[in-house]
Amino acid sequence: MTKLSPEKKLYFIPHHAVVKPDSLTTKLRVVFDASAKTSSGRSLNQCMHIGARQQSDLFEILIRWRRHKCIQGRHREMYRQIKLDTEDQRYHTILWREQPATPIKEYQLTTATFGTAAAPFMATRTLRQIADDAKTEYPLAEHLIKNDFYVDDFISGSNSLENAIKEKDEVIKALQSGGMTLRKWTSNDQAFLRTIPDEQTEKVLQLIGTDDTKALGIRWNPRTDHFGFEVQWASDKRVTSKRELLSEASKLYDPLGWLAPIMIKAKLIMQQTYTKEIGWDDPLPESIVEQWSQFKSELPSVTKLRIPRWIQLNNETMESALVGFCDASEKGYSAVVYTRIKNNEAVTVTMVASKTRVAPIKSKLTIPQLELCGAVLLSNLMIRTKKALNLAEFQHSHGRIQ
């Protein structure tokens, strides 16, 4: 940031600190609120375009990651490497002082700012530009940068150590040409990690007795190469309103629907608050409170679940198929997709993703209608999964759970 001259100030962005004592790299983060309205009633974010999506969605990246043996990395201070146009910097003004006793001064931020509506587009569009600029010298990196990044997380891999190292080196060099640095490297292959300096690996893996890290918000153990779950709820805290209920229900992160049989219960409890027309801050009926307390008391058992990340697909795969099931009841309907991989005589079946929907409240559907809804849900899920895996050779097997 640079010192601001009095005649240039146009918009002040409020900011505050968020402290995370358990973080190994960034214990204090500055959060900027560009949605704060001015005396005109408008905010900076309201005056910004958010830009078109530049990357694959989370669903596709996570599923594609399961195709091969993996590597993961993360940008170092990604937004801070992107320079704002000089004319735009004056819209990013903040108040700052080094110590509580020193006078407050005015500064303008000179780089992309987390909390502004356009920042994610600027960051991801910059990545695409780096890939385009480097494609002649680093052809492997172009594809990986465009397809295996989710904002600043690099989620990729290869079925051979040699190729993984080559891809990693190209991506690092291509990003360095644009001023970007990758750090927090993790892998399920120790030989791969030995090619990276210790200070650039995920520090949590360097702690004795600590194996888990996170990949796009999902708990992952690189040593066993399994996904897992954690519960961050206080089991003894009783919810008292629909707002608190929704807040707690949103804390269990499950982007691929692996916990669908469990989460459908949470959805059904939440649905009851709508059928009873309960306001967001109104007291919940005791029956709903008791149902939720029972649900929470049983939830810690999900921490025992382990889902293999790799679906055992490799270049020697002889047969591969996507297998889908769907079903419905008067309360809801669901769909699930598995991969069936046959290498020689060994067969591996792995859950890929699932979706659930509660039955609509206002328009009462018959069981046959809900069954058709489940079939449509499965069809769409199968199409998305096949696209994400990018396997034209996949056969399709459709079934129905009785």
Side-chain angles (χ1 to χ4, degrees):
M1 61 187 182
T2 58
K3 193 78 177 294
L4 186 71
S5 56
E7 68 276 5
K8 285 188 175 181
K9 54 189 176 185
L10 291 176
Y11 179 82
F12 283 90
I13 304 179
H15 65 277
H16 64 276
V18 172
V19 180
K20 294 180 65 177
D22 57 338
S23 175
L24 295 174
T25 54
T26 311
K27 296 183 182 296
L28 184 145
R29 296 179 184 273
V30 182
V31 176
F32 297 91
D33 182 14
S35 295
K37 294 181 179 180
T38 66
S39 55
S40 68
R42 296 177 64 81
S43 68
L44 178 62
N45 280 346
Q46 287 178 304
C47 300
M48 280 185 168
H49 291 294
I50 60 173
R53 194 178 75 182
Q54 300 294 304
Q55 297 176 329
S56 301
D57 64 24
L58 182 65
F59 181 91
E60 292 180 7
I61 291 176
L62 281 172
I63 289 182
R64 190 162 57 238
W65 187 39
R66 302 182 70 186
R67 286 190 53 175
H68 39 229
K69 296 178 181 179
C70 64
I71 52 179
Q72 178 196 4
R74 178 173 294 176
H75 276 296
R76 180 180 181 272
E77 299 174 351
M78 182 183 186
Y79 284 12
R80 292 300 178 213
Q81 315 311 315
I82 302 170
K83 201 78 171 177
L84 289 175
D85 186 272
T86 305
E87 283 299 308
D88 294 333
Q89 291 176 14
R90 53 192 179 142
Y91 294 95
H92 295 67
T93 306
I94 67 167
L95 300 176
W96 184 260
R97 60 182 175 189
E98 293 294 335
Q99 300 292 336
T102 58
I104 294 176
K105 298 179 181 179
E106 298 173 356
Y107 291 86
Q108 64 184 26
L109 303 174
T110 61
T111 58
T113 303
F114 185 81
T116 56
F121 168 78
M122 293 169 61
T124 53
R125 180 63 183 87
T126 298
L127 277 185
R128 292 191 70 85
Q129 190 62 49
I130 290 174
D132 287 336
D133 294 344
K135 64 183 178 183
T136 302
E137 190 172 359
Y138 307 110
L140 282 177
E142 180 201 9
H143 174 79
L144 294 171
I145 292 173
K146 287 183 176 180
N147 293 281
D148 291 351
F149 267 98
Y150 188 76
V151 191
D152 61 346
D153 283 300
F154 179 53
I155 304 289
S156 187
S158 176
N159 285 332
S160 75
L161 176 62
E162 181 182 358
N163 287 339
I165 294 173
K166 185 177 180 181
E167 290 174 356
K168 177 259 299 181
D169 290 341
E170 279 210 14
V171 169
I172 287 176
K173 291 175 182 177
L175 291 174
Q176 285 177 342
S177 69
M180 300 284 188
T181 302
L182 283 179
R183 61 171 183 170
K184 292 188 176 182
W185 287 94
T186 56
S187 175
N188 56 356
D189 192 324
Q190 290 298 311
F192 174 84
L193 288 176
R194 285 194 288 270
T195 68
I196 302 171
D198 286 346
E199 63 272 13
Q200 294 180 10
T201 59
E202 175 60 88
K203 293 188 182 301
V204 71
L205 300 183
Q206 300 172 19
L207 299 179
I208 298 175
T210 303
D211 291 337
D212 285 1
T213 182
K214 282 190 176 181
L216 298 182
I218 299 177
R219 188 154 293 279
W220 170 54
N221 187 316
R223 303 185 196 280
T224 62
D225 206 13
H226 280 76
F227 293 118
F229 300 92
E230 63 178 343
V231 178
Q232 299 178 334
W233 296 348
S235 58
D236 57 342
K237 181 183 177 183
R238 287 170 62 88
V239 296
T240 59
S241 67
K242 184 164 72 172
R243 191 182 304 278
E244 291 181 359
L245 182 60
L246 180 60
S247 176
E248 287 199 345
S250 303
K251 289 181 180 178
L252 195 57
Y253 186 61
D254 182 31
L256 295 185
W258 296 326
L259 299 180
I262 298 169
M263 294 308 296
I264 189 67
K265 293 185 178 181
K267 292 179 180 180
L268 289 170
I269 295 173
M270 193 69 197
Q271 189 184 54
Q272 293 181 48
T273 66
Y274 291 94
T275 58
K276 296 179 183 298
E277 298 183 352
I278 300 172
W280 283 105
D281 297 305
D282 294 341
L284 291 173
E286 189 62 27
S287 60
I288 294 180
V289 173
E290 288 300 323
Q291 287 182 63
W292 190 252
S293 297
Q294 178 67 24
F295 177 77
K296 284 172 58 176
S297 68
E298 299 172 353
L299 197 59
S301 60
V302 304
T303 59
K304 300 177 182 178
L305 294 177
R306 296 291 181 270
I307 296 176
R309 183 204 56 81
W310 188 35
I311 60 175
Q312 302 295 319
L313 188 69
N314 58 42
N315 296 333
E316 289 75 40
T317 296
M318 300 301 293
E319 296 180 21
S320 57
L322 288 180
V323 184
F325 300 91
C326 63
D327 203 359
S329 73
E330 61 182 9
K331 292 184 178 180
Y333 53 95
S334 63
V336 60
V337 173
Y338 295 86
T339 53
R340 183 185 186 275
I341 308 296
K342 183 177 181 180
N343 290 313
N344 298 322
E345 295 304 316
V347 176
T348 304
V349 178
T350 308
M351 181 180 178
V352 181
S354 73
K355 293 284 186 182
T356 60
R357 298 285 187 272
V358 294
I361 302 172
K362 294 183 178 179
S363 55
K364 191 72 174 178
L365 300 181
T366 64
I367 293 296
Q369 288 175 319
L370 290 168
E371 294 274 11
L372 286 173
C373 289
V376 172
L377 188 65
L378 173 60
S379 179
N380 291 334
L381 182 62
M382 187 75 77
I383 291 170
R384 287 193 72 191
T385 303
K386 182 182 176 182
K387 177 186 175 183
L389 288 169
N390 192 27
L391 292 175
E393 69 271 18
F394 257 99
Q395 304 169 16
H396 285 227
S397 298
H398 297 276
R400 178 177 178 277
I401 297 175
Q402 298 294 336

